[in-house]
Amino acid sequence: MRTTRLLRPDPDGIVAAAALLRSGGLVAFPTETVYGLGGDASNPDAVAAIYAAKGRPAHNPLIAHVVDAHAAARIARFDPRAAAVADTFWPGALTLVLPVRDARLLAPAMVPKGAGTVAVRVPAHPVARALLAAFGGPVAAPSANISGRVSPTTALHVRDELGGRIDAILDAGPCDVGVESTILSLTGPRAVLLRPGGVSQSALSEVLGIPIVQTQETDVLTAPGQLASHYAPSSPVRLDARSRGANELWLGFGAACEGADMSLSASGDLGEAASNLFAALRLLDQRANGRRIAVAPIPERGIGIAINDRLRRAAAPRSGD
């Protein structure tokens, strides 16, 4: 078992984290969305170690995080559409799936077999950007949790699940957005939304000037977040719960949920709900003791679309169920 160091998000901590990445180590770090589990995206052993630490299925791809669009253009091919959305939304909560430019710059696992693509993002969190600048290359960084479980939005969440499995955690407090990045594929003539997230589909469509289609089932996964069951607590989840049922804990939203065990946002603020989502699911899961988690309805608009996506995956039948 490894000793997992807790690093401060100051210059010394950033230098230490970058050195660990260069040596093939694994470092969890904050983004504006969730904490990511970072490893050198060009190092096959480091990428394999990410999969092993998370227990992640080998066919589930990873995102390459880079410091800016120029770094992204070294590993991915940008057409005018990709350049337009990158100019508008980077740095930020948007991942683009694009044709790979030079697969030799990446570990083979970063380029899904049969796809010839790479998923790439420029995060906005200042600590993530400082780490990427100090490291000087692409960093593979899925969410820093056991595969399929609730994503981490604090360093404590990471330590609880991956302590002893990774080398260090850069602790910069809780993440602001609280749900993962939007993933948009621009590998063909259509713009395809693979995962809703912190950037809305309508905002992307407005920049592109074309409608964005929803992802279809495919044998080749080109980005994370496409598995039917994902982001799941250990306890079963019931959606659209307007009251607490027998043997349930109730996660509310809005003023109509008086008496709920917890609320994502008592005022009905979707941004607050997104920020609180994963932490609330984790806390209720710890308290459940065999009970089910019932979740109040969430409006299907804005970032509520991403919240509902995560909740539907959390409530989906688990493998082997």
Side-chain angles (χ1 to χ4, degrees):
M1 180 175 288
R2 308 185 192 192
T3 298
T4 301
R5 299 167 58 189
L6 195 64
L7 301 175
R8 294 175 58 85
D10 57 20
D12 288 343
I14 296 295
V15 168
L20 286 169
L21 291 175
R22 281 191 288 271
S23 70
L26 302 183
V27 178
F29 63 94
T31 75
E32 68 275 25
T33 56
V34 300
Y35 272 73
L37 177 56
D40 182 352
S42 69
N43 182 336
D45 292 335
V47 172
I50 291 174
Y51 280 94
K54 286 177 58 70
R56 186 181 181 91
H59 68 284
N60 195 5
L62 303 178
I63 296 170
H65 292 66
V66 293
V67 69
D68 56 30
H70 295 292
R74 287 196 285 270
I75 61 173
R77 295 187 182 278
F78 282 71
D79 63 14
R81 301 172 304 166
V85 291
D87 287 346
T88 304
F89 298 107
W90 278 356
L94 174 67
T95 294
L96 294 176
V97 177
L98 302 172
V100 68
R101 177 175 291 279
D102 188 347
R104 294 172 298 178
L105 299 177
L106 297 165
M110 298 297 298
V111 183
K113 291 181 179 178
T117 62
V118 62
V120 62
R121 172 159 102 94
V122 178
H125 196 291
V127 173
R129 292 178 61 75
L131 176 60
L132 291 166
F135 176 65
V139 172
S143 57
N145 59 289
I146 299 299
S147 185
R149 298 293 305 278
V150 177
S151 297
T153 53
T154 70
L156 179 60
H157 295 161
V158 180
R159 190 187 68 184
D160 286 347
E161 289 202 17
L162 296 181
R165 298 183 181 212
I166 66 177
D167 296 290
I169 305 168
L170 266 172
D171 183 0
C175 302
D176 292 331
V177 176
V179 294
E180 295 82 358
S181 61
T182 300
I183 303 181
L184 180 70
S185 175
L186 295 172
T187 58
R190 299 185 302 172
V192 182
L193 185 72
L194 300 181
R195 180 178 72 184
V199 175
S200 72
Q201 180 175 346
S202 60
L204 289 166
S205 184
E206 182 177 352
V207 169
L208 290 171
I210 58 173
I212 295 172
V213 301
Q214 298 288 330
T215 183
Q216 302 295 318
E217 292 294 328
T218 176
D219 292 332
V220 178
L221 298 183
T222 57
Q226 296 177 263
L227 300 177
S229 177
H230 205 39
Y231 315 112
S234 300
S235 308
V237 175
R238 179 171 72 92
L239 304 182
D240 298 321
R242 299 183 183 277
S243 63
R244 181 192 294 101
N247 204 35
E248 288 185 338
L249 295 174
W250 188 24
L251 179 57
F253 174 80
C257 296
E258 185 177 351
D261 295 279
M262 288 188 68
S263 179
L264 291 174
S265 173
S267 66
D269 184 291
L270 286 171
E272 181 183 19
S275 181
N276 290 335
L277 175 64
F278 289 140
L281 287 175
R282 282 176 175 271
L283 188 55
L284 289 180
D285 199 26
Q286 293 169 4
R287 297 176 180 174
N289 194 26
R291 289 174 288 182
R292 184 166 57 180
I293 299 172
V295 186
I298 305 295
E300 191 78 9
R301 65 173 186 270
I303 203 167
I305 295 171
I307 296 171
N308 283 318
D309 171 79
R310 305 311 189 268
L311 287 171
R312 283 190 288 268
R313 295 177 194 274
R318 319 289 169 82
S319 178
D321 285 358

